[in-house]
């Protein structure tokens, strides 16, 4: 890269961010002919929220599903999205673009890079009761990869969330996570093999306490970074975009970058692609756009996601869409842990329920996390029906049988090892009766007693007459098949009883810059902002209702592919 006309650096394409969407954009641009590509990352490690995520990618009719013999079609997928995305929320041309080009993106990346995925045969769509929904094979997760292949770039990788690592050091896949959490048949042998493999890998342990096998989000990012390394593609860390630069016509031609504390001007001869994440850690923007209650400390998105791409786009009069939305998911904000945990699996398991401060349930705890929290916002009222915080209520049987966030199971984290301040801060509670538990953590005791009594009745009949928990296939995915007549319902009746605080969190925002099928950013007048593209959470979501696992990464990667085609003129 050489400086010219006041530029400190000059490249064909500048990519802002280092998540799945950004790195896919960069690799596609390179493979399609724009060889001079620079990726910049604001943080001191690469990967963004993509790396800490479960790494799932929702793409109907992808090559891995087809190879497994999955029965799916474009028509079924289109019908499903038509039935799950409210009319008017997403332009139909964007949905069509996604369904038509996502499988092409997977083929392109599989054939040219080290990107590899595994189809999730039994992970269902999130609305399996809707026409077009499928019981599996639409989502895929990254194939695990050996950390050692990254060589010096391993230390710069953002690892998968600590909740996706056994004892914080052994990564596991999404399939293994479901097995370990619910302790389904085979869980003990799988756990033993994982621990033994880690303990015997002495050469790697001399380098890192974390096991060498990368899974989920970090595996997906590692494979993309390895592909960049094969091509000697640069990635600057500690390099934040401070301002987009335009010419007299309004075309974006570069950016001002704070590189390790030094201001540099980077020319982008062909385009700038924004893949800089959402605004989940910008409390001012949260207060302006998102429903209440809202708090950046409840978000599991990486802390560098403060809306940089959105803010710069707005300066150029970019249009926005879905600004009141996020990838909602209840979170567990454990004292002294580095980031909130997503509360997905534990609240779905039998022998537990979620209640607000009035001691009442909010919705079906086993439904998908987006739908659950949307219901929370509907019923929350600061004065009369506060749902901030909520509490996960369970008994001694549940505590013995299932992993419950940072409480793990009783055999792996005995009660005597629970920090005293967790009780003092009302993060957890423990008592011999439901009423004592309610008083201890500040919940209405009569209502909680009635709620638990109701749950115990539902467990006997197998029918939750209140919220229909366990009635659809997705509910049962994180249930316990050994529990009958409903794998999502069991009695809460064995003392002592426990409570764990849960917040109305998220793992990123979904509202952002409006783009067209080429990934180009559109202004308020409906015109293209020349030279500017956006992918991922800084752009407006294509699958805002989260129809299946991986509904953020699939569109991010696909629109990166679309942007690269438009920038280079490549014909697929």
């Amino acid at each position: 890269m050489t400086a010219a006309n006041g530029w400190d650096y000059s490249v064909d394409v500048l990519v802002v961010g280092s998540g799945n969407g950004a790195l896919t954009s960069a690799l596609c641009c390179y493979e399609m002919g724009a060889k001079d590509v620079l990726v910049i990352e604001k943080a001191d490690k690469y990967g963004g929220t993509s790396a800490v995520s479960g790494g799932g990618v929702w793409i109907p009719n992808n090559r891995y599903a087809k190879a497994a013999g999955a029965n799916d079609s474009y028509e079924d997928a289109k019908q499903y999205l038509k039935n799950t995305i409210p009319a008017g929320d997403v332009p139909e041309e964007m949905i069509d673009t996604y369904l038509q080009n996502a499988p092409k993106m997977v083929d392109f990346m599989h054939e040219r890079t080290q990107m590899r995925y595994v189809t999730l045969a039994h992970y269902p769509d999130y609305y399996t009761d809707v026409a077009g929904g499928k019981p599996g094979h639409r989502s895929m997760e990254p194939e695990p990869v050996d950390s050692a292949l990254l060589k010096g770039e391993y230390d710069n990788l953002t690892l998968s969330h600590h909740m996706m690592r056994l004892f914080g050091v052994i990564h596991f896949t999404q399939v293994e996570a479901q097995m370990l959490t619910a302790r389904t048949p085979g869980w003990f042998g799988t756990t033993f093999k994982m621990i033994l493999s880690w303990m015997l890998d002495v050469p790697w342990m001399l380098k890192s306490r974390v096991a060498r096998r990368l899974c989920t989000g970090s595996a997906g990012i590692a494979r993309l970074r390895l592909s960049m390394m094969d091509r000697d593609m640069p990635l600057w860390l500690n390099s934040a975009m401070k301002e987009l630069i335009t010419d007299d016509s309004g075309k974006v031609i570069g950016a001002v970058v704070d590189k390790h504390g030094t201001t540099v001007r980077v020319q982008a001869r062909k385009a700038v692609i924004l893949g800089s994440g959402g605004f989940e850690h910008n409390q001012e923007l949260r207060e302006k756009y998102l429903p209440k209650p809202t708090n950046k400390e409840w978000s599991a998105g990486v802390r560098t996601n403060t809306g940089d791409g959105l803010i710069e786009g707005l300066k150029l009069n970019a249009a926005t869409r879905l600004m009141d939305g996020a990838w909602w998911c209840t979170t567990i904000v454990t004292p002294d842990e580095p980031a909130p945990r997503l509360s997905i699996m534990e609240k779905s398991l039998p022998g537990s329920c979620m209640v607000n401060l009035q001691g009442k349930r909010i919705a079906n705890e086993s439904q998908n996390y987006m739908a659950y929290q949307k219901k929370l916002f509907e019923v929350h009222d600061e004065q009369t029906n506060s749902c901030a915080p909520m509490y996960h209520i369970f008994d001694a049987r549940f505590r013995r049988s299932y992993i419950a966030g940072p409480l793990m199971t009783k055999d792996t984290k005995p009660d005597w090892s629970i920090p005293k301040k967790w009780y003092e801060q009302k993060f957890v509670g423990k008592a011999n009766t439901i009423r004592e538990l309610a008083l201890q953590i500040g919940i209405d005791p009569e209502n909680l007693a009635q709620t638990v009594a109701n749950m115990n009745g539902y467990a006997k009949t197998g029918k939750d007459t209140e919220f229909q928990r366990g009635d659809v296939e997705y509910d049962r995915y994180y249930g316990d098949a050994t529990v009958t007549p409903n794998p999502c319902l069991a009695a809460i009746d064995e003392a002592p009883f426990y409570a764990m605080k849960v917040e109305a969190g998220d793992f990123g925002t979904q509202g952002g810059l409006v783009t067209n099928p080429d990934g180009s950013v559109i202004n308020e007048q409906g015109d293209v902002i020349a030279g500017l593209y956006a992918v991922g959470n800084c752009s407006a979501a294509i699958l805002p209702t989260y129809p299946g696992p991986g509904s953020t990464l699939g569109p991010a990667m696909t629109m990166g592919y679309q942007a690269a085609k438009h920038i280079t003129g490549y014909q697929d």
Side-chain angles (χ1 to χ4, degrees):
M1 295 179 288
T2 58
N5 299 323
W7 300 104
D8 298 295
Y9 298 90
S10 181
V11 296
D12 285 336
V13 180
L14 174 65
V15 179
V16 182
S18 62
N20 274 51
L23 298 190
T24 299
S25 301
L27 286 162
C28 286
C29 283
Y30 184 98
E31 286 299 302
M32 292 175 186
K35 302 295 185 183
D36 195 357
V37 182
L38 170 63
V39 178
I40 62 172
E41 168 55 51
K42 180 180 181 180
D44 59 357
K45 294 181 183 295
Y46 62 89
T49 300
S50 297
V52 300
S53 76
V57 180
W58 190 84
I59 294 179
N61 299 305
N62 69 76
R63 67 184 297 133
Y64 305 105
K66 289 178 180 177
N71 178 25
D72 200 359
S73 68
Y74 170 88
E75 290 74 22
D76 282 352
K78 180 68 180 291
Q79 180 184 36
Y80 176 62
L81 293 183
K82 184 177 181 180
N83 290 333
T84 54
I85 299 174
D89 276 10
V90 181
E92 187 171 2
E93 66 173 354
M94 295 300 290
I95 295 173
D96 289 339
T97 295
Y98 179 64
L99 292 177
Q100 291 163 2
N101 291 281
K104 295 179 184 178
M105 178 276 295
V106 175
D107 289 344
F108 184 90
M109 293 292 288
H110 178 94
E111 292 162 4
R112 293 169 178 257
T113 75
Q114 295 195 42
M115 187 195 86
R116 295 292 183 274
Y117 282 88
V118 177
T119 187
L120 295 175
H122 304 293
Y123 204 149
D125 286 341
Y126 285 174
Y127 305 93
T128 46
D129 56 331
V130 170
K134 297 292 182 181
H137 283 306
R138 277 184 174 164
S139 185
M140 53 191 194
E141 71 168 321
E143 190 175 290
V145 64
D146 184 349
S147 298
L149 296 173
L150 287 165
K151 300 178 181 177
E153 283 296 280
Y154 170 72
D155 292 333
N156 296 327
L157 171 67
T158 299
L159 295 179
S160 295
H161 196 289
H162 59 275
M163 67 178 279
M164 294 298 289
R165 287 180 265 146
L166 191 63
F167 309 121
V169 295
I170 303 173
H171 289 92
F172 44 77
T173 67
Q174 288 193 35
V175 173
E176 291 163 348
Q178 192 261 354
M179 176 188 292
L180 297 178
T181 302
R183 295 193 169 190
T184 57
W187 77 269
F188 183 81
T190 297
T191 303
F192 179 78
K193 289 178 183 177
M194 292 167 69
I195 294 173
L196 184 63
S197 176
W198 172 63
M199 293 180 65
L200 293 179
D201 193 2
V202 176
W204 183 255
M205 288 188 73
L206 294 174
K207 177 176 176 59
S208 172
R209 285 188 65 250
V210 178
R212 73 163 65 218
R213 187 183 74 143
L214 293 170
C215 301
T216 60
S218 60
I221 289 295
R223 288 187 169 278
L224 294 172
R225 183 64 183 125
L226 284 169
S227 302
M228 290 180 64
M229 292 165 63
D230 291 341
R231 295 157 177 78
D232 293 323
M233 296 174 66
L235 192 163
W236 292 356
L237 299 176
N238 296 295
S239 298
M241 176 192 68
K242 307 305 290 184
E243 183 182 1
L244 290 172
I245 300 172
T246 59
D247 63 15
D248 293 340
S249 70
K251 178 182 179 181
V252 173
I253 57 172
V256 177
V257 178
D258 182 346
K259 183 185 182 187
H260 293 276
T262 299
T263 299
V264 297
R265 289 164 53 88
V266 180
Q267 181 186 29
R269 296 185 295 269
K270 294 181 180 294
V272 173
I273 303 176
L274 301 176
S276 52
F279 60 87
E280 60 266 25
H281 279 282
N282 185 321
Q283 188 63 32
E284 183 178 349
L285 291 180
R286 293 185 72 99
E287 296 287 345
K288 181 176 181 179
Y289 292 114
L290 300 183
K292 307 297 186 295
T294 186
N295 190 323
K296 66 180 183 179
E297 299 305 320
W298 302 341
S299 177
V302 293
R303 294 186 176 274
T304 47
N305 285 352
T306 54
D308 298 0
L310 170 68
I311 292 168
E312 284 304 299
L314 289 174
K315 290 179 182 178
L316 301 180
N317 195 37
T320 59
R321 184 167 52 81
L322 301 172
M323 292 299 290
D324 61 347
W327 305 111
W328 305 118
C329 184
T330 51
T331 55
I332 303 168
V333 185
T334 310
D336 300 327
E337 284 195 345
R341 296 169 179 253
L342 300 182
S343 175
I344 297 175
M345 292 172 274
E346 47 269 288
K347 78 176 188 299
S348 301
L349 289 161
S352 72
C353 65
M354 290 269 285
V355 300
N356 59 18
L357 295 179
Q358 286 65 50
K360 297 180 179 181
R361 293 172 69 202
I362 297 165
N364 166 15
E365 297 89 346
S366 295
Q367 69 184 311
N368 77 79
Y369 37 90
M370 277 283 289
Y372 181 86
Q373 195 154 310
K374 284 187 174 182
K375 184 64 178 179
L376 180 155
F377 289 126
E378 287 179 19
V379 303
H380 171 78
D381 183 278
E382 194 69 35
Q383 303 302 319
T384 63
N385 196 43
S386 177
C387 298
M390 298 160 285
Y391 278 92
H392 186 206
I393 307 296
F394 49 94
D395 68 355
R397 185 187 301 108
F398 185 100
R399 177 108 168 84
R400 286 195 307 272
S401 303
Y402 310 119
I403 293 174
L407 286 176
M408 301 299 289
T409 58
K410 192 169 185 179
D411 56 354
T412 54
K413 191 176 185 65
D415 286 359
W416 60 261
S417 68
I418 299 173
K420 182 181 179 182
K421 72 175 179 180
W422 287 15
Y423 292 105
E424 294 172 345
Q425 296 177 10
K426 295 184 179 180
F427 173 68
V428 296
K430 174 188 172 184
N432 287 321
T433 71
I434 290 294
R435 283 182 170 80
E436 289 173 3
L437 181 68
L439 292 170
Q440 184 183 126
I441 57 179
I443 289 178
D444 185 294
E446 296 303 320
N447 285 346
L448 183 60
Q450 184 61 58
T451 294
V452 171
N454 291 343
M455 292 300 295
N456 293 344
Y458 303 152
K460 289 180 181 179
T461 64
K463 189 68 177 176
D464 173 5
T465 57
E466 203 174 358
F467 295 117
Q468 295 74 52
R469 179 170 168 178
D471 282 4
V472 299
E473 189 159 2
Y474 177 80
D475 290 10
R476 298 187 288 271
Y477 181 75
Y478 286 123
D480 184 341
T482 67
V483 174
T484 58
N486 186 326
C488 300
L489 298 172
I492 308 170
D493 61 3
E494 183 180 330
F497 300 96
Y498 298 85
M500 182 170 63
K501 184 187 289 187
V502 179
E503 305 288 4
D506 60 77
F507 51 88
T509 51
Q510 64 172 220
L513 306 175
V514 172
T515 58
N516 68 11
D518 296 321
S520 296
V521 177
I522 305 301
N523 65 20
E524 289 284 6
Q525 288 71 45
D527 300 320
V528 166
I529 299 176
L532 185 63
Y533 299 77
V535 302
N537 287 351
C538 65
S539 62
I542 296 175
L543 305 176
T545 49
Y546 219 84
S551 294
T552 56
L553 297 186
M557 298 170 76
T558 301
M559 294 314 295
Y561 171 75
Q562 290 294 99
K565 287 193 298 183
H566 193 251
I567 291 166
T568 62
Y570 180 86
Q571 300 292 319
D572 58 13

